[in-house]
Amino acid sequence: ISLRKRAWAAMSAAERLEVKLRLAGTALGAGVPVYTGEIKTAGFRRVLAEWRPDAIVTCGFGQVLDGGILGTAPYGAYNCHPTDLANGHGAGPAPWDDMAARGVTHTVWSVHRMTEVVDAGPVVGQTPPINVADAQGRLIPDPRAFFFKVLPPIGWMVMRTVDALVRRRAMGLREPLRHVELDAAMPP
């Protein structure tokens, strides 16, 4: 959790603290370790070496992982990004701005393998289109409202991605995902 990145900047300090505590509490309650702060540090690299992750999954992370971090996860590192990366749309830190520039009112979540180049890894899955229009059919005029409208599928997408990774591990396959089914099974 890095509170100076991406959507966090649109929240007040009190909202950021509330969300951070809720996220950390949920993860810790499920037995998942939590790290907050910058990742390109010797301290984080020591923590990561202790954790020895099979895979890394992020959402709206806002940081580029370097090869040393990416190389720690034999099943790969994946990011959930709220734009159509498979068709070349929205890479980078401003998905709402990309949609506004293109004049579109629908987006998808793309799950892609992370590389040292931001949002450039192969897309392994995408959700069905998500309508981000207001009541008049126009793109929501506030980037903050955009993030709140696209957030609901994140938990489901991450669980589908983790489930696919767990199945690969159970089958003895020691390589990253090539595909995760997201389009046919997304809840309404």
Side-chain angles (χ1 to χ4, degrees), residues 45 48 56 64-78 113-117:
R45 291 176 195 285
L48 192 61
I56 297 170
V64 176
L65 301 180
D66 60 44
I69 294 171
L70 292 170
T72 64
Y75 288 93
Y78 304 87
R113 283 251 329 269
M114 296 174 82
T115 66
E116 290 186 72
V117 178

Side-chain angles (χ1 to χ4, degrees), residues 12-76:
S12 70
E15 288 172 309
R16 287 192 304 264
L17 180 60
E18 179 184 344
V19 171
K20 177 181 177 180
L21 291 174
R22 200 177 295 159
L23 283 169
T26 299
L28 292 170
V32 176
V34 174
Y35 176 87
T36 63
E38 296 299 319
I39 59 165
K40 295 174 186 163
T41 66
F44 176 72
R45 291 176 195 285
R46 282 191 300 275
V47 167
L48 192 61
E50 290 173 19
W51 286 351
R52 295 181 18 231
D54 288 326
I56 297 170
V57 180
T58 69
C59 290
F61 190 56
Q63 298 184 61
V64 176
L65 301 180
D66 60 44
I69 294 171
L70 292 170
T72 64
Y75 288 93

